[in-house]
Amino acid sequence: MDSNEIMEEEIMRNLKYLKLLAERYPTISDASTEIINLQAILNLPKGTEHFLTDIHGEYEAFVHVMKNASGVVKRKIEDRFSNILSQEEIKALATLIYYPEQKLDIIERNEANIEDWYKITLYRLIEICRYCSTKYTRSKVRKALPKEFSYILEELLHESRAVYNKQDYYDEIINCIISINQAREFIIALSNLIQRLVVDRLHIIGDIYDRGPGAHIIMDKLMTHHSLDIQWGNHDILWMGAAAGSKVCIANAIRICLRYGNMDTLEDGYGINLLPLATFSMETYGDDPCECFKPIPDIKDCYSNKEEKFIARMHKAISIIQFKLEGEVIKRRPEFNMNHRLLLNDMNLEEGSITVEGKVYPLKDKNFPTIDMKNPYALTQEEYDVIEKLQYSFINSEKLRSHCDFLFSRGSMYLAFNSNLLFHACIPIEEDGSFSALRVYDKELRGKALLDELERVGREGYFTKNKERKRYGQDILWYLWTGKHSPLFGKNKMTTFERYFVEDKEAHKEKKNAYYKYRDSEEFCIRVLKEFNIDSPDAHIINGHMPVERKKGESPIKAGGKLLVIDGGFSKPYQKKTGLAGYTLIFNSFGLQLVSHQPFKSMEAAIKEETDIISTRIVLEKNVERKRVGDTDVGALLKNQIKDLMELLSAYRSGIIKEKH
């Protein structure tokens, strides 16, 4: 059989699909033009990917890292203007691009000759914007342009002053923009366009929520991003479970907010009504100092003594409710194997002690007015009423619902993309290095199959109308927050109860999953990658979740560069422990770069004092040949499209399908 016969046979097999494709490309000319276009795109430089993880509500630092693209924007300015501008001028231009509206307010008040400043700045911004846009097609750049200025911006970006016949035309556009008082709007539009063009794809590797005050602000920002994916973290899944209506997830989410004194996300962000909890806590724990439940030391200074006591009482009230609700789930789901966490059964209130794993400890707090030791996991009527009202508030928060809809639509347990495997915490591993098994419904699953099924069942907990499957799905969402074989948690237990009530730190220990023992082995990492069908010498695993303690000499680079951990402490409470304020990762056409960041002072300082985050860049891998779109996952899709279009061309030319002129 010759090549023409093989092609004809292939066409006949795909005839139904090719006829549908012909609706979009009805002529030989249309199909040929698209083949030429796609083939050209394959040879463009690979777009820049930006990786962030464990943001934990620190919205100011997050917004700044998004605006400066982990230093990429400043490097673009230096590439074009390092021989022309001083470092002070480069810094000022970078700050303008990050915060155009706020910076313009200051400049317009203080600049003596604002028209000259506008002209110089517009030329500089256009040059940077043109430089950033060269790796994209005109069509892609056109789609990124703000609609109100799209025509003029397209002219400015694709015309050169060096072309003699167009020089006056180009200059006149700039002069006219200034004369009709549109310079400010154009500068803002160009600055935002630069921010968009420097990063082609954003990866968030989990834990947007908890600790910091602005998770809701971060979610608003992410929902406007042009291209991103999210790999869920355990803190995200907790809020997703809460939005689904899981009472145990709701109690956990509120408890963490109170522990970190973070009322902003609950009340201002999502409109959660805490009045029923506040009233109940004052009535039940009004005479209790609740010493164990005061906000953590770094936060408590933000509150008066009276406010601190008020938060502590609510904190204790919701914690006891949480422990009771967790007991219900543990008893309902024996397959979770969590009976050892039924600690309320092991309290001796007469002696003021508790037995944990066979050892007796004195209780730091002995006041449990709502616990009946004959049935310690039974909610009182008042506790039941409180959690019912809180559940109603969570379910009916439109903003929380929209944010969690987005997390489900753009998120997943893991992502295999461009030869990198992204997941938040771990793949559950046994001590002998084998994949751990967990029974989900009636199936015992491991590795990739386990993550796939946990994601599917978790989605049921949010979306399905079947009550029984919904409840099971919600229980799985809670298990993903705290369970031994949760890929998002990665420890044998969460010792929340012990941390509150037991002084001895020995009882607080949480043993890490064996994954963290094996992740330094290149052989192990390759085995994990193959489990997820990634078999490339350039492949990496990229994780967050466990803060890298650089203070103690720990490196984010594991297994000879095969695995990268980029949680370096976005969250302020972790920064004393880590010695820095986070890692981010840049993967562009030239290679892979790890960026470490020092703590962010404030947005106000960044604008007024032009203080950028101090970042250090480490080139992990430099490509011998610059990566092209054709070397990426998108390139593989485009190659398949080209193959289909070539078949369509053959079908037209052989008369199997007729052109529609």
Side-chain angles (χ1 to χ4, degrees):
M1 189 181 288
D2 64 24
S3 59
N4 288 334
E5 288 175 320
I6 292 170
M7 175 64 79
E8 189 168 322
E9 191 174 285
E10 184 75 13
I11 289 168
M12 296 310 294
R13 272 202 303 268
N14 298 330
L15 189 59
K16 187 175 181 180
Y17 166 69
L18 291 175
K19 284 181 177 179
L20 289 172
L21 194 62
E23 295 294 322
R24 188 168 181 182
Y25 305 101
T27 67
I28 288 175
S29 175
D30 291 328
S32 300
T33 299
E34 185 64 5
I35 289 169
I36 294 165
N37 175 48
L38 295 178
Q39 194 65 51
I41 290 171
L42 291 175
N43 289 283
L44 285 170
K46 172 196 171 299
T48 298
E49 297 173 58
H50 193 192
F51 301 76
L52 287 80
T53 186
D54 294 87
I55 304 156
H56 283 303
E58 298 293 347
Y59 69 94
E60 284 202 352
F62 165 78
V63 167
H64 190 79
V65 168
M66 289 286 288
K67 286 177 176 292
N68 79 356
S70 290
V72 173
V73 169
K74 195 171 183 182
R75 287 197 292 279
K76 296 288 186 186
I77 299 170
E78 289 169 342
D79 286 348
R80 303 312 290 168
F81 295 120
S82 60
N83 296 326
I84 301 169
L85 302 180
S86 68
Q87 278 301 308
E88 285 300 310
E89 288 172 313
I90 288 172
K91 190 165 72 170
L93 187 56
T95 305
L96 176 68
I97 293 170
Y98 307 155
Y99 303 102
E101 295 97 332
Q102 298 92 329
K103 197 64 186 171
L104 280 166
D105 288 341
I106 296 169
I107 291 165
E108 287 169 342
R109 284 198 304 268
N110 300 322
E111 185 62 47
N113 193 334
I114 193 65
E115 289 196 2
D116 279 356
W117 183 89
Y118 281 148
K119 184 176 290 188
I120 293 166
T121 302
L122 281 166
Y123 278 124
R124 288 173 179 170
L125 290 175
I126 290 163
E127 178 59 27
I128 297 163
C129 204
R130 184 184 292 125
Y131 179 51
C132 294
S133 68
T134 52
K135 63 162 60 175
Y136 304 117
T137 63
R138 280 199 180 194
S139 173
K140 188 163 183 173
V141 174
R142 189 180 300 121
K143 289 172 185 173
L145 298 175
K147 289 180 182 177
E148 61 271 27
F149 300 128
S150 59
Y151 173 74
I152 297 300
L153 284 173
E154 192 169 1
E155 289 290 295
L156 291 171
L157 292 179
H158 296 110
E159 295 297 342
S160 172
R161 295 181 73 206
V163 178
Y164 177 76
N165 291 334
K166 286 287 187 80
Q167 185 173 334
D168 290 343
Y169 168 76
Y170 184 93
D171 290 340
E172 188 53 36
I173 290 175
I174 301 294
N175 291 330
C176 188
I177 287 170
I178 295 168
S179 68
I180 64 172
N181 297 319
Q182 286 291 292
R184 177 187 174 92
E185 285 69 23
F186 264 83
I187 288 169
I188 292 169
L190 282 164
S191 297
N192 290 333
L193 183 58
I194 291 165
Q195 289 181 36
R196 175 165 178 172
L197 291 174
V198 293
V199 170
D200 190 46
R201 177 104 174 204
L202 175 66
H203 305 286
I204 304 292
I205 311 178
D207 280 0
I208 297 161
Y209 281 85
D210 292 330
R211 301 196 181 102
H216 56 292
I217 299 171
I218 294 166
M219 285 302 303
D220 283 340
K221 294 286 183 186
L222 292 176
M223 287 178 73
T224 64
H225 199 276
H226 60 280
S227 177
L228 88 162
D229 51 74
I230 299 166
Q231 291 73 60
W232 303 322
N234 57 323
H235 287 268
D236 307 318
I237 214 79
L238 181 66
W239 281 83
M240 292 154 71
S246 165
K247 291 178 181 178
V248 68
C249 290
I250 288 167
N252 270 278
I254 293 171
R255 178 187 62 77
I256 294 168
C257 285
L258 294 169
R259 175 168 168 72
Y260 287 89
N262 176 13
M263 314 294 278
D264 295 349
T265 300
L266 281 171
E267 295 182 313
D268 300 337
Y270 293 131
I272 303 301
N273 180 13
L274 294 178
L275 185 59
L277 177 62
T279 303
F280 168 74
S281 67
M282 291 304 294
E283 290 173 352
T284 308
Y285 301 99
D287 298 327
D288 187 337
C290 298
E291 288 291 334
C292 304
F293 293 90
K294 289 181 178 178
I296 63 171
D298 290 346
I299 304 296
K300 64 195 297 184
D301 294 339
C302 302
Y303 295 98
S304 68
N305 188 51
K306 185 176 180 181
E307 288 171 326
E308 186 182 285
K309 288 180 179 177
F310 184 61
I311 291 171
R313 288 173 183 130
M314 285 199 292
H315 187 182
K316 182 172 183 179
I318 198 65
S319 297
I320 300 302
I321 291 171
Q322 173 195 313
F323 298 137
K324 290 183 176 185
L325 292 169
E326 287 178 338
E328 290 180 8
V329 180
I330 291 166
K331 291 174 182 178
R332 186 162 64 234
R333 307 298 177 196
E335 64 271 32
F336 290 176
N337 293 315
M338 293 180 71
N339 283 349
H340 61 290
R341 300 307 299 157
L342 296 172
L343 296 178
L344 298 186
N345 290 332
D346 299 321
M347 292 196 302
N348 186 327
L349 295 186
E350 290 181 5
E351 295 181 4
S353 66
I354 184 166
T355 303
V356 181
E357 296 181 1
K359 187 173 179 180
V360 179
Y361 298 94
L363 288 165
K364 288 161 62 179
D365 183 330
K366 303 174 180 65
N367 183 34
F368 298 97
T370 69
I371 291 180
D372 176 0
M373 286 309 298
K374 293 178 183 177
N375 190 5
Y377 287 96
L379 293 169
T380 65
Q381 184 61 50
E382 292 77 14
E383 287 173 324
Y384 177 83
D385 292 341
V386 166
I387 199 64
E388 281 283 309
K389 289 171 182 175
L390 289 169
Q391 183 190 46
Y392 178 86
S393 196
F394 268 79
I395 289 173
N396 289 283
S397 170
E398 290 185 14
K399 188 157 194 172
L400 179 59
R401 168 63 64 169
S402 71
H403 285 174
C404 288
D405 284 349
F406 183 78
L407 284 169
F408 275 105
S409 67
R410 297 298 183 91
S412 56
M413 292 288 290
Y414 66 90
L415 177 70
F417 189 79
N418 288 344
S419 298
N420 291 318
L421 177 60
L422 285 56
F423 54 88
H424 179 66
C426 72
I427 306 302
I429 298 292
E430 294 298 310
E431 288 298 323
D432 64 2
S434 62
F435 293 116
S436 298
L438 177 68
R439 184 168 292 280
V440 184
Y441 282 123
D442 58 345
K443 293 180 284 188
E444 197 170 79
L445 301 164
R446 297 172 175 81
K448 180 179 180 295
L450 174 60
L451 271 69
D452 288 338
E453 183 67 0
L454 287 171
E455 178 175 331
R456 188 194 69 76
V457 175
R459 289 181 183 277
E460 279 193 333
Y462 190 78
F463 290 109
T464 189
K465 300 300 181 185
N466 181 295
K467 287 185 179 180
E468 198 50 49
R469 297 188 77 85
K470 190 176 190 71
R471 173 179 265 200
Y472 187 79
Q474 289 179 7
D475 289 349
I476 285 289
L477 291 171
W478 172 77
Y479 183 87
L480 285 168
W481 157 248
T482 190
K484 178 181 178 180
H485 291 317
S486 163
L488 307 185
F489 178 48
K491 295 179 184 178
N492 66 330
K493 58 184 175 181
M494 189 179 289
T495 58
T496 306
F497 184 94
E498 292 93 324
R499 289 172 188 273
Y500 285 128
F501 294 109
V502 178
E503 190 73 50
D504 191 338
K505 287 186 167 47
E506 188 64 29
H508 302 177
K509 287 184 178 178
E510 300 168 342
K511 185 181 178 183
K512 293 178 184 176
N513 184 268
Y515 174 86
Y516 296 97
K517 177 176 74 174
Y518 285 101
R519 68 178 180 176
D520 287 317
S521 161
E522 187 173 346
E523 182 185 351
F524 170 76
C525 292
I526 290 170
R527 182 157 62 88
V528 171
L529 287 163
K530 286 184 177 178
E531 171 71 11
F532 288 83
N533 306 314
I534 300 173
D535 190 7
S536 164
D538 300 325
H540 307 86
I541 297 170
I542 304 171
N543 296 155
H545 190 56
M546 291 288 186
V548 176
E549 297 188 39
R550 196 173 74 171
K551 267 188 172 181
K552 295 181 179 179
E554 185 183 358
S555 171
I557 305 165
K558 314 287 184 184
K562 210 67 184 166
L563 187 147
L564 304 167
V565 184
I566 59 170
D567 179 6
F570 247 109
S571 178
K572 287 178 182 176
Y574 276 146
Q575 289 172 11
K576 290 178 182 177
K577 185 178 180 182
T578 60
L580 70 164
Y583 290 103
T584 52
L585 197 65
I586 295 292
F587 182 25
N588 60 25
S589 57
F590 295 105
L592 204 58
Q593 300 165 8
L594 183 71
V595 186
S596 62
H597 304 282
Q598 292 301 312
F600 181 58
K601 190 174 179 182
S602 71
M603 202 174 288
E604 184 180 2
I607 295 162
K608 290 183 178 178
E609 302 168 23
E610 297 177 346
T611 55
D612 207 340
I613 291 180
I614 299 170
S615 303
T616 304
R617 181 167 52 119
I618 303 167
V619 177
L620 297 173
E621 293 176 4
K622 192 167 185 177
N623 300 328
V624 177
E625 291 185 11
R626 195 175 185 188
K627 275 191 180 289
R628 306 285 171 179
V629 171
D631 303 316
T632 68
D633 289 356
V634 170
L637 293 173
L638 296 182
K639 288 173 184 176
N640 283 331
Q641 289 176 30
I642 290 169
K643 179 177 174 290
D644 293 340
L645 287 163
M646 292 293 286
E647 284 187 22
L648 180 61
L649 272 184
S650 296
Y652 281 141
R653 287 168 176 161
S654 63
I656 295 172
I657 297 176
K658 293 180 180 179
E659 291 183 85
K660 295 178 183 177
H661 289 282

